[in-house]
Structure formats: structure tokens, C-alpha cells
Amino acid sequence: MSAPVLRVQNLHKEFRIRRNGQTRVLTAVDDVSLEIRPGETVALVGESGSGKSTAARCIARLVDPTGGTIDVAGASLSDLPHRQLGAAYTDIQMVFQDPNSTLNPRMSIRQILHEPLRLHTRLSRRDRDVRARDLLNSVQLPSEFLDRYSWQLSGGQRQRIGIARALAVDPKVLLLDEPTASLDVSVRGQVLELLDELQREREMAYLFISHDLDVVERIADRVMVMYLGGIVETGPTRDVFHAPAHPYTRALLTAAPRIDPEHRAERFRLTGEIPSPFDTGRGCPLSGRCPLVQDSCRAAKPPLLQIAPARTSACPVVPPIQSHLTQHLSLA
């Protein structure tokens, strides 16, 4: 088995918010660790506000983490000064949810694709042009698009340009932050097929961030479930989706709309509202909403423990949950 190309250990991110003369600490990412190997897709899932995008931005050093280590292709990214990050970005790139906010409308597609090549390679202008045409071809767009502007393209075409720009420096790791969320359903499928094809060709590692569980089930090898900044469950996607071992995962799966018309799942409901990220208490962050809560859940935050080969969960009542779900939650 190949070594991980992305290794993140104990990633932590705090924001200090000053209101009414007082400074409060918001923990957006809490002790997140993950490994991804070449050609593998790991999905990070959870509700909006769970910390998924912040974690990805910390990994890419678009936001400086408060703590933890980040290694890409065997080199540390976490300790690099900002002025040295440029060299590291040849190994790791990011594709964002909304291409409208990341593609400069005043730049032609040619200029957009030339920019990373100019910054990170020594290619001549002519060679950059050849490379830009190859990049368009790799995302299944004609070379005539080089002289167009992003506002002249459809949403799906703009997202393909965003992917092409990320591929310009041949990264080993691609961070995909809700890359299909702003696209129509038909276009979404085309972009997912493109990402799958590119991964097979280039053996890239994907960290795929999404709240769309149908997309995650289709594209991810492994899944990590995030709640209030922390990881509550991990495992192979099929295993987690067929028998979730954490109440939060179970609630996500039974609440999500499913494409499969034969899919039926007994709804597992959490009570109340998501607690304030400023004050989650000392126990399990889900303890105030979980119908299976026990006294031990409120006493201390449960650690993320291995419950089966390649499976972890941060729930002290895993065995009864898993047994119940095997009976009621077959998604096959």
C-alpha cells in the first residue's frame, strides 16, 4: 500500500471574536486528523457550519491553523512561512464551490490559466499557451475558450475552468470544497465524471467536502463525519452509509433526500438546536440533542475510538446503535 500523500494530524483552528468589550474563543476545527493516499477520495461531510470548509482552508494554508501538522508529499506545510508557500502549492491545490467568486471576470481564460504557470513554472509564453490548450482539453472544453471571459460561460463551464486552473501545476492533492453544489443536476453528473476520470489518469488524492450524501456515496472511498468542528465517525463509505455507528451520522443519513426511489429509512430525529460553538460544554457536543444520551455522555467528551477494522466512532453507545441500524438502514 502506498504512503499517504496528505497527512493531517491534530488540526485545530480557533477564532477570537470580540463583542461588547469581551473576547470569546470559537473553536471551528477541533483535533482533526486524516490521511489520504494517491488515487483515493476521502469525503468530509456534515451540516453547514460544522467546520468542513475551514478545515480545508487550514490544510491549504489559506487560513493559518492554530495547531496541528500538515504534510503534503512528505514535506511539512504547517511550518512554512507564507513567502515559501508558493513552492508547496505545486503539490496541493483547491477547487472552490462558486467559480464566480474565484475567476476574475476581467481576465480571459487564457490569462487565468497562464497565471499559475507563470508563477510556478519557467515555461515560455508559447509553451504556456500550449499547456493552457492541453488543460482545456483535459476538462473537455475547446481551445476557442481561451479568448473568452468567465462571464461568457455557463456555471458548469466555469467550474471546469476552475478545475483546469488547479491542474495547471500537476498537484498531487486536490481539495474540492462543494465543487458541484452550485451546478444543475445534469451538469453535476458531468463534473463528477470528469473528476473521476482525471483522478484515474493522474492518481491524485481528493479531499472532497460536501453535504450531498448521494454525491459522497458515489465518489468517496472513505468518509469522515464532522460535527461542531470535530470528527465523530470515520470509515469506508459503504460501511458508514449502511450501518452508521454514531447518532449524528444516523440523523444525517435518514434526513437527507435520496435519489433512489426504493430507499426507505426510519427517520432518526435529533431534538433541539445546534448549540453555540462558543459553549459546547464538557461532554459530547451532541448530548443536548441525542435521544440515546446517557449520563456518561454529559460527563466527558467521548474520544474517537476504533470500533471495527478501518472504522472509528466517538459514541459510547456504539454497539446498540450499530445493531439497530443493520436491521433498519440498509441502503443497498
Side-chain angles (χ1 to χ4, degrees):
M1 183 180 293
S2 58
V5 69
L6 174 64
R7 180 183 279 113
V8 178
Q9 294 182 307
N10 309 116
L11 188 68
H12 193 82
K13 178 59 183 178
E14 293 179 350
F15 292 99
R16 297 187 177 276
I17 312 295
R18 187 168 180 81
R19 290 180 181 173
N20 301 323
Q22 292 185 330
T23 300
R24 304 184 69 186
V25 176
L26 186 154
T27 301
V29 180
D30 187 12
D31 198 27
V32 170
S33 298
L34 60 89
E35 292 183 350
I36 313 179
R37 289 173 169 79
E40 184 184 30
T41 299
V42 172
L44 193 57
V45 305
E47 296 169 288
S48 296
S50 60
K52 307 184 301 296
S53 294
T54 301
R57 283 165 168 76
C58 286
I59 292 171
R61 288 290 306 276
L62 299 178
V63 174
D64 284 334
T66 307
T69 61
I70 306 156
D71 293 320
V72 180
S76 174
L77 191 66
S78 45
D79 298 328
L80 281 180
H82 279 269
R83 64 180 181 277
Q84 297 179 19
L85 284 173
Y89 286 147
T90 58
D91 287 328
I92 186 168
Q93 285 285 308
M94 191 162 181
V95 176
F96 299 89
Q97 174 179 342
D98 182 10
N100 291 327
S101 64
T102 58
L103 300 178
N104 190 332
R106 297 184 178 182
M107 295 174 68
S108 68
I109 303 306
R110 185 188 308 274
Q111 292 171 316
I112 288 172
L113 296 181
H114 273 226
E115 186 174 36
L117 296 171
R118 180 178 56 79
L119 292 173
H120 300 293
T121 74
R122 296 182 178 181
L123 294 176
S124 66
R125 181 176 177 81
R126 177 179 295 181
D127 289 340
R128 290 200 300 268
D129 234 28
V130 171
R131 175 66 172 155
R133 292 175 187 273
D134 290 342
L135 287 168
L136 283 184
N137 182 63
S138 70
V139 296
Q140 301 167 8
L141 291 176
S143 58
E144 298 83 65
F145 276 45
L146 284 173
D147 295 315
R148 296 188 185 181
Y149 292 81
S150 60
W151 49 268
Q152 295 176 305
L153 308 182
S154 68
Q157 290 168 342
R158 285 193 291 269
Q159 192 60 289
R160 287 171 187 262
I161 296 299
I163 294 170
R165 180 177 60 182
L167 296 177
V169 292
D170 290 322
K172 295 179 176 66
V173 180
L174 209 55
L175 309 178
L176 299 148
D177 188 5
E178 301 272 12
T180 61
S182 62
L183 306 178
D184 294 337
V185 174
S186 59
V187 179
R188 189 177 305 169
Q190 296 170 9
V191 171
L192 290 174
E193 288 177 6
L194 172 65
L195 289 170
D196 185 51
E197 181 180 328
L198 290 168
Q199 186 178 50
R200 289 198 307 269
E201 291 175 354
R202 299 165 181 254
E203 280 290 293
M204 286 183 293
Y206 287 170
L207 178 61
F208 192 91
I209 295 163
S210 181
H211 64 270
D212 189 327
L213 299 183
D214 277 310
V215 169
V216 169
E217 188 174 23
R218 171 179 172 178
I219 199 171
D221 301 300
R222 291 188 291 120
V223 64
M224 304 180 69
V225 184
M226 199 168 186
Y227 179 69
L228 282 179
I231 302 298
V232 297
E233 182 169 358
T234 74
T237 304
R238 181 177 176 82
D239 293 351
V240 171
F241 275 47
H242 282 222
H246 195 281
Y248 179 68
T249 310
R250 183 180 175 188
L252 276 183
L253 288 169
T254 59
R258 308 290 291 180
I259 293 176
D260 184 357
E262 296 184 359
H263 169 76
R264 296 289 185 272
E266 179 185 346
R267 181 72 183 272
F268 183 86
R269 297 180 183 275
L270 302 176
T271 60
E273 300 294 331
I274 300 176
S276 166
F278 290 105
D279 184 19
T280 57
R282 66 179 180 177
C284 173
L286 195 68
S287 60
R289 306 177 65 199
C290 180
L292 302 174
V293 65
Q294 299 177 359
D295 289 343
S296 60
C297 303
R298 298 188 178 96
K301 184 178 179 179
L304 192 64
L305 298 176
Q306 185 168 348
I307 58 168
R311 294 285 307 269
T312 65
S313 174
C315 180
V317 289
V318 166
I321 294 176
Q322 193 152 356
S323 173
H324 180 79
L325 291 178
T326 301
Q327 179 181 0
H328 290 287
L329 265 184
S330 175
L331 306 186

